[in-house]
Amino acid sequence: MKYLRYLKYERMVMNMNYKVKLGTLVTSLVLSGYITTIPVAHATSYKISPPLITTSRFITSNVGSHEVSVRQGQNKIDLDVSVTKNATASEIQQLLDYNKNNVYNLTIRIPYGTYVLDQELRIYSNTTIIVSTGAKLMKNHQRGAMIANDMSKDNGGYSTTENITIDGGIWDSSMIAGYNKGTESFRFIHATNVTVKNATIRNVPDKSHLITFAGVKNGTIENCILFGYNGETLKEAIQLDIVHDNIIVPSMQSSSILYDDLPCDTIVIKDNLIYNFPRGIGSHTSVQGVFHTNITIENNRLHDISEAAIKVYNYTNTNIKNNIIDRAGVGILVYTTIANEEMNYLPALPSTKKQPLPKNYRIVIEGNTIKNMRQYLEGSTLTWGDGIRVIGSKARPLSNVSIRKNKLTKTARYGIFVEYSPNCYIGSNYITDTYRYAICVHNSNSGNLYWNQISKAGAKNSYYGGIGVSYTQNLKIYSNKINVTAKNGIYLNSTTRNCNVTWNKITGVAAAQAIYADTKDGHTVKNNTPKVKK
């Protein structure tokens, strides 16, 4: 009380001290020369003339001493709290719980130190966590994520949790990495405006992801370092998921989750470094009639990825641009169907309003650098080894994929391979040193292959080469420059019809092998170098 009586004489003060006692949730504030006591949990019911800013320390026996500042924001009080150095998970959670009723714009600062987390942290709407450079948060529990949004009031849709940011920190699961139990480091479900940035997230056990967004809208993952996986099961470092059931989207809060087949919408994944993981970014399950949409994956660096660096399963309106991928099983994999589909392509829930199959997927793969693709050993079978692979099916063709201005170097199989991808555009790519065809097109009508520069196409003495086409009609192949070390420059087999092959320049093979395209199949072959007519 002596402290309050002293402050009574301070008038028209914009920066001042106050005390917060968490046990009774009371804040003592100086407001323009008079004292008022405001319950923190109901602070917004009091009118405070902005810009009130106060700073002090609060002390409780069970949490410790924390630096706090308060500012009256436009709609909420901005509350900024610093965690005690080396606090426990329980102590951090007590501060997170301050926003359980969504009263504040809460910022929690975690200073340099080591924090052993023996329980999942739950984060609420309008909360930011800022972690100092070098601060380590060490996971020491097997159940649940390191941090997840609170689902206790979930009603489905994107609005269960809103406006979350996690900025910085080293989030490490090495203490449990050998336990062979799947988990996530970060898990966000049914949320809007989620940002994870400037963080290092690492060292998870088998069957785990580093970040999962499930049914998230307006999500961003940027400038993070993601690595470290102790297992053989193929999982993504960053996973985008559909909120289908507690098998596809497991959670310690599954009993509170309204599973509604909600996909991700408007996600940006950029400027991250990802390595030493089975897969980099993407999805391995989907739901019939449900599509992730408006996805941007750009300016990421991925290396030493066992299988797919970027794996896009039933996405629409997606841009994959300017990524650098080195040493992976396949650089970029875009698909609507794949083997063992009964395990991965799931029937929609009865209440789900399914979307029709898109006539135009609008996938853009542009400006990526992909090198040193190697085949992945799955059981006793070698698979993949491609730079860019696009896979549709007769029932679900993957239409309108644009593959442009990519640089692909040294692939164990194909440079670019598309199948059941009608109206595709493959242009201005630089492709060198492929074991099989630099570009292979299968069952993909009415596409365009143009302005590609191809060299060292096909292994020496093999029957591969620059461009290979099968079961395809009305394909335009024009203005490509091809240097071949194998058998064929451009090869259209007998299953192709009505393709145009014009203005291509082919070197490295005899004229008789430069282009194979039988005009009896309706092909137009003219103005190529060397001049060939088959």
Side-chain angles (χ1 to χ4, degrees):
M1 295 303 297
K2 290 181 179 180
Y3 177 74
L4 297 181
R5 285 196 296 269
Y6 173 78
L7 288 180
K8 186 175 181 179
Y9 299 102
E10 299 290 328
R11 302 184 59 83
M12 305 300 292
V13 180
M14 303 306 297
N15 291 285
M16 57 205 75
N17 292 330
Y18 73 99
K19 291 183 178 181
V20 179
K21 187 177 179 182
L22 285 179
T24 57
L25 296 179
V26 173
T27 305
S28 299
L29 297 170
V30 178
L31 299 180
S32 299
Y34 66 93
I35 305 297
T36 184
T37 299
I38 301 177
V40 171
H42 303 91
T44 53
S45 65
Y46 291 79
K47 185 176 180 180
I48 305 175
S49 299
L52 173 68
I53 304 173
T54 70
T55 62
S56 185
R57 302 181 70 82
F58 63 79
I59 302 173
T60 65
S61 59
N62 59 344
V63 177
S65 178
H66 307 272
E67 189 70 26
V68 179
S69 70
V70 171
R71 179 184 179 91
Q72 176 64 42
Q74 184 176 1
N75 299 311
K76 296 179 184 291
I77 284 183
D78 298 334
L79 182 63
D80 193 311
V81 186
S82 292
V83 171
T84 303
K85 185 175 181 179
N86 301 333
T88 66
S90 178
E91 291 169 345
I92 296 171
Q93 187 62 54
Q94 288 184 56
L95 300 182
L96 288 167
D97 287 347
Y98 237 49
N99 226 14
K100 197 176 253 189
N101 296 318
N102 193 21
V103 173
Y104 306 108
N105 294 318
L106 175 63
T107 298
I108 293 179
R109 300 179 186 274
I110 300 178
Y112 180 84
T114 299
Y115 302 81
V116 178
L117 305 181
D118 57 4
Q119 66 184 55
E120 180 179 80
L121 298 177
R122 301 278 171 83
I123 190 169
Y124 306 91
S125 291
N126 300 305
T127 299
T128 295
I129 296 176
I130 300 175
V131 187
S132 296
T133 301
K136 294 181 181 179
L137 295 98
M138 307 294 296
K139 185 177 184 182
N140 195 27
H141 62 93
Q142 295 184 57
R143 299 188 66 242
M146 293 187 82
I147 188 164
N149 61 312
D150 176 67
M151 303 299 296
S152 61
K153 299 177 182 178
D154 183 42
N155 290 311
Y158 292 111
S159 60
T160 296
T161 310
E162 298 177 332
N163 307 322
I164 288 176
T165 297
I166 299 177
D167 184 351
I170 299 170
W171 303 75
D172 193 316
S173 296
S174 58
M175 295 177 73
I176 61 154
Y179 288 168
N180 194 33
K181 182 176 175 62
T183 183
E184 270 84 47
S185 295
F186 291 8
R187 179 190 289 132
F188 298 101
I189 304 169
H190 284 160
T192 297
N193 298 335
V194 178
T195 297
V196 179
K197 62 183 180 180
N198 306 321
T200 297
I201 311 170
R202 66 191 189 190
N203 299 331
V204 290
D206 194 29
K207 306 179 183 71
S208 300
H209 306 278
L210 293 172
I211 301 173
T212 289
F213 281 1
V216 170
K217 187 174 184 177
N218 297 334
T220 300
I221 302 169
E222 64 175 314
N223 199 37
C224 292
I225 300 173
L226 309 173
F227 68 94
Y229 185 86
N230 186 20
E232 299 296 328
T233 308
L234 294 173
K235 296 290 183 179
E236 298 81 12
I238 297 174
Q239 177 183 229
L240 304 186
D241 226 337
I242 297 168
V243 190
H244 181 68
D245 59 25
N246 63 358
I247 297 174
I248 301 302
V249 182
S251 170
M252 287 183 66
Q253 306 175 78
S254 59
S255 61
S256 300
I257 296 173
L258 178 61
Y259 289 96
D260 59 356
D261 280 342
L262 193 70
C264 291
D265 184 357
T266 314
I267 305 296
V268 176
I269 302 170
K270 64 178 183 178
D271 300 323
N272 301 287
L273 172 62
I274 304 172
Y275 62 97
N276 290 349
F277 223 84
R279 295 172 178 147
I281 300 166
S283 310
H284 62 272
T285 59
S286 188
V287 173
Q288 296 171 20
V290 179
F291 303 88
H292 299 300
T293 191
N294 302 319
I295 311 300
T296 298
I297 303 170
E298 64 181 7
N299 296 320
N300 301 283
R301 291 178 293 146
L302 304 100
H303 68 83
D304 296 291
I305 304 296
S306 304
E307 195 218 37
I310 297 173
K311 187 174 178 119
V312 171
Y313 186 13
N314 276 333
Y315 291 20
T316 64
N317 300 331
T318 294
N319 291 314
I320 306 170
K321 294 184 175 182
N322 301 321
N323 301 282
I324 299 173
I325 301 170
D326 188 8
R327 299 188 299 276
V330 54
I332 298 170
L333 173 60
V334 179
Y335 64 108
T336 62
T337 185
I338 207 162
N340 300 320
E341 191 169 82
E342 65 279 2
M343 303 285 292
N344 302 307
Y345 189 58
L346 308 172
L349 298 171
S351 59
T352 298
K353 185 178 180 179
K354 296 195 294 184
Q355 300 177 47
L357 291 174
K359 294 181 179 180
N360 185 342
Y361 279 81
R362 291 188 289 272
I363 307 290
V364 176
I365 304 170
E366 183 177 308
N368 302 282
T369 298
I370 300 172
K371 56 186 177 181
N372 299 316
M373 296 299 101
R374 55 208 182 185
Q375 290 192 288
Y376 171 70
L377 183 62
E378 186 173 3
S380 58
T381 304
L382 286 171
T383 61
W384 306 120
D386 310 315
I388 297 171
R389 185 73 184 261
V390 176
I391 307 174
S393 68
K394 186 175 182 179
R396 299 197 301 280
L398 213 170
S399 59
N400 201 356
V401 176
S402 175
I403 305 172
R404 301 187 306 122
K405 300 180 181 179
N406 302 283
K407 183 177 181 180
L408 296 92
T409 305
K410 198 172 183 180
T411 64
R413 208 165 59 162
Y414 300 97
I416 298 171
F417 190 138
V418 299
E419 57 183 308
Y420 287 103
S421 183
N423 303 308
C424 64
Y425 292 82
I426 304 174
S428 301
N429 299 285
Y430 174 85
I431 308 170
T432 186
D433 199 1
T434 60
Y435 188 84
R436 296 188 182 180
Y437 284 112
I439 300 174
C440 186
V441 177
H442 177 71
N443 262 315
S444 298
N445 297 334
S446 304
N448 289 266
L449 275 64
Y450 59 96
W451 300 346
N452 298 287
Q453 295 188 49
I454 296 170
S455 62
K456 299 181 182 178
K460 191 174 182 178
N461 299 321
S462 74
Y463 62 86
Y464 298 105
I467 296 172
V469 185
S470 59
Y471 292 95
T472 295
Q473 301 179 28
N474 303 314
L475 183 68
K476 295 179 180 179
I477 305 173
Y478 59 92
S479 300
N480 300 282
K481 294 181 179 180
I482 303 171
N483 175 266
V484 181
T485 54
K487 184 176 181 180
N488 298 293
I490 298 173
Y491 183 83
L492 281 66
N493 76 11
S494 60
T495 62
T496 59
R497 296 290 185 274
N498 304 321
C499 297
N500 288 304
V501 184
T502 59
W503 299 106
N504 300 283
K505 183 177 181 180
I506 301 165
T507 60
V509 294
Q513 294 176 308
I515 298 174
Y516 183 91
D518 196 331
T519 54
K520 293 180 182 178
D521 294 325
H523 301 311
T524 298
V525 181
K526 63 181 182 179
N527 299 322
N528 300 285
T529 304
K531 294 181 180 180
V532 178
K533 187 174 181 179
K534 284 275 186 178

